[in-house]
């Protein structure tokens, strides 16, 4: 077994850029320390280890940010916007005027990953990622917090995501275009991608317009073990045992992974046919052990009659988008840029 682990480590280090490997390996080490066998979680230590950064009203690399609290949930939303061209306006947070009265400015509501348990909207890795989204994709990003498991199980994250979407769509200062509305996209990685899907379903059922969904290796699953789970177990940062712990921590106590929160098109899943569901960009990393569930999700959307684009990156691992040190990062950003600006 030790020899097998050494081979997996060597292969992973050969494929993954060094700084990405160091970041995700350190995260994995921390995550292993925080999870307890009895299903509880060391939240105090997690908050201590999670490097958070403040918002910056003065632009950095052409992007400024500020924090606001959704009074309906008391949760933080961090807003990222392109810097004004006029430096005299730097540091001024404008909450009266729309983004534009002429052109459409996409607003991306972003749900951070962390398997429903880790990270926050103000975690350093997600702060940097959201800044890059704004800079490259010419969009506004609203990164939102949600209650995390195991302290807050299903459906808390979905409820908080739904509240965040309603908060965004009712901000006049996020409106743009001649139609004076908020042009909303939902996005997220890992558990954040899962949340984006479920919030989009709720929006479609409630008549709230979401233009598109961007899911970065979304966290889906099911009771049966798939080929990719067996083949990639433990090889690229994640094990089946890890994933199972997080699902037990999030799903209702005693339920299994065929719960519709996890297995979207499983035996208990919601029928999406006929639903006014938004177009989707589903990004799958070829070294993510749950890729079979992600591919099945994209296929299920297509069969249900919905527009879906699959971006399969064969040589990518989870977290490849945290650093601009690989071709996959630039491919992804170009795809997102085209996806959110196609309606502009």
């Amino acid at each position: 077994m030790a020899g097998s682990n050494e081979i997996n480590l060597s292969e992973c280090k050969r494929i993954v850029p060094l700084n990405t490997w160091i970041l995700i390996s350190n995260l994995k080490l921390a995550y292993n320390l925080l999870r307890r066998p009895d299903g509880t979680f060391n939240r105090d230590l997690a908050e201590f280890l999670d490097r958070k950064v403040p918002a910056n009203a003065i632009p950095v690399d052409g992007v400024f940010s500020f924090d606001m609290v959704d009074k309906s949930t008391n949760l933080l939303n961090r807003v990222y916007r392109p810097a004004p061209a006029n430096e005299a306006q730097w540091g001024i947070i404008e909450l009266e005027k729309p983004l534009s009265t002429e052109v459409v400015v996409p607003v991306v509501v972003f749900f951070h990953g962390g398997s429903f348990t880790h990270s926050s909207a103000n975690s350093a890795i997600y702060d940097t990622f959201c800044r890059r989204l704004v800079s490259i994709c010419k969009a506004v990003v609203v990164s939102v917090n949600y209650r995390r498991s195991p302290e807050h199980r299903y459906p808390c994250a979905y409820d908080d995501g739904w509240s965040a979407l309603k908060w965004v769509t009712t901000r006049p200062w996020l409106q743009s275009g001649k139609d004076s509305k908020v042009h909303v996209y939902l996005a997220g990685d890992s558990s954040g991608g899962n949340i984006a899907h479920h919030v989009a379903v709720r929006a479609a059922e409630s008549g709230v317009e979401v233009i598109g969904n961007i899911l970065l290796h979304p966290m889906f699953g099911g009771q049966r073990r798939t080929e990719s789970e067996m083949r990639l177990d433990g090889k690229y940062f994640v094990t089946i045992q890890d994933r199972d712990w997080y699902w037990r921590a999030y799903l209702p106590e005693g339920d299994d992974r065929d719960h519709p929160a996890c297995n979207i098109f499983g035996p208990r899943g919601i029928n999406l046919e006929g639903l006014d569901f938004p177009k989707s960009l589903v990004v799958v990393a070829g070294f993510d052990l749950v890729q079979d569930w992600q591919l099945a999700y994209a296929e299920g959307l297509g069969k249900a009659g919905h527009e879906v684009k699959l971006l399969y990156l064969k040589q990518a691992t989870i977290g490849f988008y945290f650093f601009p040190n690989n071709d996959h990062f630039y491919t992804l950003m170009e795809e997102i840029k085209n996806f959110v600006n196609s309606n502009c």
Side-chain angles (χ1 to χ4, degrees):
M1 180 63 70
S4 174
N5 288 339
E6 290 173 3
I7 292 172
N8 292 343
L9 178 62
S10 177
E11 181 181 356
C12 184
K13 292 175 72 174
R14 177 178 59 83
I15 293 173
V16 182
L18 180 60
N19 45 2
T20 303
W21 184 86
I22 292 172
L23 170 67
I24 300 180
S25 294
N26 285 337
L27 289 175
K28 179 175 174 58
L29 176 62
Y31 290 1
N32 289 342
L33 290 171
L34 299 171
R35 297 190 307 267
R36 299 184 179 118
D38 65 357
T40 59
F41 184 78
N42 192 333
R43 181 63 63 194
D44 290 338
L45 181 58
E47 292 302 299
F48 175 77
L49 294 175
D50 183 22
R51 187 169 76 88
K52 295 180 171 63
V53 294
N56 65 294
I58 303 300
V60 175
D61 296 329
V63 178
F64 74 99
S65 62
F66 55 94
D67 292 338
M68 300 197 72
V69 173
D70 179 351
K71 293 181 180 179
S72 70
T73 60
N74 287 322
L75 293 171
L76 175 143
N77 297 328
R78 177 162 292 181
V79 183
Y80 300 85
R81 292 178 55 172
N86 183 358
E87 292 188 17
Q89 296 178 321
W90 289 9
I92 300 173
I93 307 300
E94 176 59 71
L95 298 181
E96 298 295 332
K97 299 178 182 178
L99 296 171
S100 172
T101 56
E102 294 295 326
V103 300
V104 170
V105 180
V107 176
V108 179
V109 180
F110 183 79
F111 303 102
H112 67 81
S115 303
F116 296 103
T117 302
H118 304 276
S119 299
S120 301
N122 54 350
S123 295
I125 56 173
Y126 285 107
D127 184 83
T128 301
F129 177 70
C130 289
R131 291 178 183 283
R132 289 177 175 142
L133 276 180
V134 173
S135 178
I136 296 173
C137 301
K138 309 306 178 187
V140 169
V141 173
V142 181
S143 183
V144 303
N145 270 338
Y146 52 86
R147 287 170 293 172
R148 293 162 298 179
S149 62
E151 301 94 326
H152 303 282
R153 293 174 175 267
Y154 168 91
C156 290
Y158 303 156
D159 291 342
D160 295 341
W162 172 238
S163 294
L165 173 60
K166 291 190 292 183
W167 183 88
V168 167
T169 58
T170 54
R171 300 306 100 181
W173 45 272
L174 289 175
Q175 294 177 350
S176 66
K178 295 181 179 180
D179 53 3
S180 297
K181 67 178 184 180
V182 184
H183 297 260
V184 179
Y185 293 78
L186 302 180
D189 69 318
S190 182
S191 55
N194 178 294
I195 295 169
H197 164 81
H198 287 283
V199 172
V201 170
R202 194 175 297 190
E205 292 173 338
S206 303
V208 175
E209 183 182 13
V210 172
I211 301 173
N213 265 9
I214 304 165
L215 278 58
L216 309 180
H217 62 75
M219 185 174 162
F220 298 135
Q223 273 299 97
R224 68 178 180 87
R225 297 300 185 197
T226 68
E227 187 275 335
S228 68
E229 287 175 315
M230 302 300 293
R231 173 170 50 87
L232 296 171
D233 182 24
K235 288 189 175 181
Y236 296 94
F237 306 113
V238 182
T239 67
I240 291 175
Q241 186 178 14
D242 296 339
R243 279 286 173 258
D244 288 352
W245 189 96
Y246 289 114
W247 282 121
R248 286 195 301 273
Y250 179 65
L251 295 175
E253 289 194 50
D255 218 320
D256 62 32
R257 294 185 306 277
D258 277 337
H259 188 283
C262 178
N263 193 350
I264 305 301
F265 292 103
R268 297 154 60 191
I270 297 173
N271 184 2
L272 299 183
E273 291 183 18
L275 195 66
D276 188 17
F277 195 75
K279 64 179 182 178
S280 297
L281 172 62
V282 180
V283 182
V284 178
F287 293 127
D288 184 355
L289 66 83
V290 296
Q291 64 179 273
D292 285 345
W293 294 108
Q294 297 159 358
L295 294 170
Y297 171 77
E299 182 181 359
L301 287 181
K303 288 183 177 179
H306 302 297
E307 180 182 350
V308 56
K309 180 169 184 179
L310 173 66
L311 178 61
Y312 183 82
L313 301 171
K314 184 177 180 180
Q315 294 288 312
T317 64
I318 61 170
F320 71 89
Y321 40 83
F322 286 133
F323 290 109
N325 60 1
N326 58 90
D327 291 340
H328 302 309
F329 171 88
Y330 294 100
T331 298
L332 171 66
M333 288 299 176
E334 186 65 21
E335 289 286 348
I336 295 177
K337 179 181 178 180
N338 293 335
F339 187 80
V340 300
N341 288 288
S342 61
N343 288 24
C344 297

